[in-house]
Amino acid sequence: MSLYKIRVAGLEDILQQDVIDLKSLRDFCFYGIPDCNGLRSLCWKLMLGYLGPKKDTWSATLTKKRELYKQFIEEMVIPPGDGEQGRSSCVDHPLSDGPESNWNTFFKDNEVLLQIDKDVRRLCPDISFFQQATDFPCESVVSHNRERKLHIRVAPTTLSSANVERKGLGVTKQINLITKRATESYEAMDEGLEAHWEVVERILFLYAKLNPGQGYVQGMNEIIGPIYYVMASDPNLEYRKHAEADCFFCFTALMGEIRDFFIKTLDESEDGIKGMMAKLSNLLKEKDSEVWTKLRDQELYPQYYSFRWLTLLLSQEFPLPDVLRIWDSVFADEKRYNFLVKVCCAMIVLLREQILENDFASNVKLLQNFPPMDIKVVLKKATSLE
């Protein structure tokens, strides 16, 4: 039996238990989840806390969460007056500007939606997946008039784009983090169909609505992309059918852990982005003082290159398959983001010869555009930094 098959059998044995041993699961997944049989999708659900360790609770949990997500769509995506609740009331009016007006909220939401729409149309441009049609479009959206599709609400003929800055707590913020850009933004599907990016747009919109203190920040699209890809690629038909709802709750759980990265007022906290960059700098000083000294002397501080690495969990630095492999280890590590710091440190150490030879400009370019590298080498180095 091949080593790969042995690993698949080993993981399936862990998952067959009536009560999942989460420590054994994490220990196994830390070294990579086999890319077959929907194992990654299930393991991520468990490691992110969407599913509990007791298997007999899974069915009830999934049914409850998926029904709740349907309710979110009905209440927050369907335009006022177009849903079941709207048909029973004629009090509200599109021209109303009162604070209790659903229509007033609807138009304010479009400001947030405009930024989300722009970002999801460029999601993971290296693969065609997000441009393709989902096999399971949201029936309550595609089976009615096109106004239920969120991108229709912010079509260019309706709204013009505005740049938004990240300023503490607020509805919409922007961080200049994204390096990968599609040459053209993705097109919408014909009536009755939905592209995967349209589904992601709806998830992010609902997340922003349900988390008004944080809202939507540019870069969240890069965090949700790999999660949705894993859920929507599950070979299990039932899981794939509910990929949108499952992705929403897994993304929400992950954002609950890394929200400090996206809120400027929390930057100075230990778990804020500045705290994480300080940890990276201290680890590099400990593991390779020569490289640390070179970067310090050049005044090439971590914020010049690692801000994006840490905030987006390296989703912009590696191809999607490598990102999935990194996240297997990050999600499996109980200390979680300490290992992320180790991966970032390993990336720097592996470039030590070039860094020591380069001038400031060359090192900035090198670190901001991390060169292709075998992810196994990076993770092995990161593990050795323990």
Side-chain angles (χ1 to χ4, degrees):
M1 184 182 292
S2 69
L3 180 60
Y4 180 79
K5 289 182 178 179
I6 291 174
R7 284 191 58 75
V8 171
L11 182 53
E12 289 180 337
D13 183 58
I14 293 173
L15 294 172
Q16 283 172 358
Q17 306 305 310
D18 291 336
V19 179
I20 308 299
D21 184 335
L22 292 180
K23 185 181 185 306
S24 296
L25 180 70
R26 290 192 186 100
D27 290 345
F28 188 101
C29 294
F30 183 81
Y31 294 98
I33 301 171
D35 191 16
C36 68
N37 305 338
L39 293 174
R40 177 172 282 120
S41 173
L42 179 56
C43 289
W44 282 15
K45 289 182 177 80
L46 285 160
M47 291 191 293
L48 289 171
Y50 178 44
L51 291 178
K54 296 182 179 180
K55 290 181 73 173
D56 60 4
T57 66
W58 290 1
S59 179
T61 296
L62 292 172
T63 298
K64 179 181 178 180
K65 294 290 189 179
R66 290 164 179 173
E67 284 300 318
L68 179 60
Y69 187 76
K70 285 183 181 178
Q71 184 179 339
F72 291 158
I73 292 177
E74 177 66 30
E75 293 178 358
M76 287 175 267
V77 173
I78 309 302
D82 195 23
E84 293 298 325
Q85 298 175 348
R87 281 193 285 271
S88 63
S89 175
C90 298
V91 177
D92 205 359
H93 189 277
L95 296 180
S96 172
D97 60 358
E100 302 300 320
S101 169
N102 289 329
W103 279 106
N104 185 34
T105 302
F106 175 81
F107 291 121
K108 285 185 177 179
D109 288 344
N110 286 349
E111 298 173 16
V112 182
L113 185 55
L114 182 62
Q115 184 65 55
I116 296 175
D117 185 73
K118 191 163 60 172
D119 292 342
V120 296
R121 287 176 183 263
R122 301 161 176 165
L123 190 58
C124 297
D126 295 338
I127 60 174
S128 62
F129 175 80
F130 288 94
Q131 302 174 53
Q132 298 172 8
T134 172
D135 294 330
F136 301 101
C138 180
E139 287 301 320
S140 62
V141 171
V142 300
S143 61
H144 291 72
N145 63 69
R146 284 173 59 82
E147 290 301 320
R148 291 192 173 190
K149 286 198 169 191
L150 292 176
H151 67 86
I152 296 296
R153 288 166 51 173
V154 289
T157 53
T158 309
L159 296 172
S160 59
S161 175
N163 288 325
V164 195
E165 295 182 358
R166 177 174 178 259
K167 293 182 179 177
L169 294 172
V171 179
T172 310
K173 285 82 60 177
Q174 177 175 330
I175 312 174
N176 294 320
L177 298 169
I178 314 307
T179 57
K180 298 178 184 176
R181 291 295 186 191
T183 52
E184 296 180 3
S185 61
Y186 303 156
E187 296 297 325
M189 293 275 123
D190 294 333
E191 192 168 346
L193 300 173
E194 275 192 312
H196 288 295
W197 69 261
E198 295 181 74
V199 180
V200 173
E201 179 174 41
R202 188 162 50 244
I203 297 172
L204 288 172
F205 176 72
L206 287 172
Y207 179 82
K209 287 277 290 179
L210 290 164
N211 295 273
Q214 181 182 31
Y216 173 74
V217 181
Q218 187 182 35
M220 289 181 180
N221 56 309
E222 304 296 341
I223 297 292
I224 199 173
I227 300 175
Y228 178 78
Y229 175 82
V230 167
M231 303 296 162
S233 302
D234 196 318
N236 181 308
L237 194 65
E238 186 65 16
Y239 275 133
R240 196 162 75 246
K241 180 179 180 181
H242 297 284
E244 179 177 352
D246 293 347
C247 175
F248 171 83
F249 289 106
C250 286
F251 173 71
T252 299
L254 178 57
M255 287 306 302
E257 297 177 358
I258 65 172
R259 65 186 296 270
D260 291 6
F261 297 180
F262 288 88
I263 298 180
K264 192 172 184 179
T265 54
L266 298 177
D267 281 355
E268 303 293 341
S269 68
E270 183 180 353
D271 295 324
I273 194 61
K274 288 185 179 179
M276 294 291 285
M277 289 189 291
K279 289 179 183 178
L280 172 58
S281 181
N282 292 336
L283 183 63
L284 179 62
K285 183 179 182 180
E286 176 189 341
K287 300 299 180 180
D288 197 326
S289 60
E290 191 176 3
V291 169
W292 179 85
T293 300
K294 175 75 172 183
L295 296 177
R296 182 201 62 183
D297 291 347
Q298 291 183 337
E299 297 185 351
L300 207 173
Y301 303 115
Q303 54 263 39
Y304 286 119
Y305 55 88
S306 68
F307 184 85
R308 186 180 70 229
W309 293 4
L310 293 164
T311 304
L312 301 185
L313 310 185
L314 295 171
S315 62
Q316 289 280 288
E317 315 312 316
F318 296 93
L320 182 60
D322 290 352
V323 173
L324 303 184
R325 174 61 191 88
I326 293 170
W327 287 16
D328 288 344
S329 295
V330 171
F331 293 166
D333 183 35
E334 283 196 83
K335 296 181 180 177
R336 195 138 310 177
Y337 306 105
N338 283 346
F339 185 71
L340 175 65
V341 170
K342 290 183 174 69
V343 175
C344 293
C345 185
M347 291 163 62
I348 300 170
V349 173
L350 288 168
L351 296 175
R352 77 181 313 273
E353 299 303 325
Q354 293 164 267
I355 290 173
L356 293 175
E357 292 179 4
N358 285 346
D359 59 13
F360 172 83
S362 298
N363 275 335
V364 169
K365 184 176 181 181
L366 177 67
L367 293 171
Q368 288 187 347
N369 299 276
F370 192 77
M373 190 176 292
D374 187 341
I375 194 59
K376 294 179 182 176
V377 173
V378 177
L379 291 174
K380 183 178 179 180
K381 187 67 177 179
T383 304
S384 74
L385 299 176
E386 295 285 355

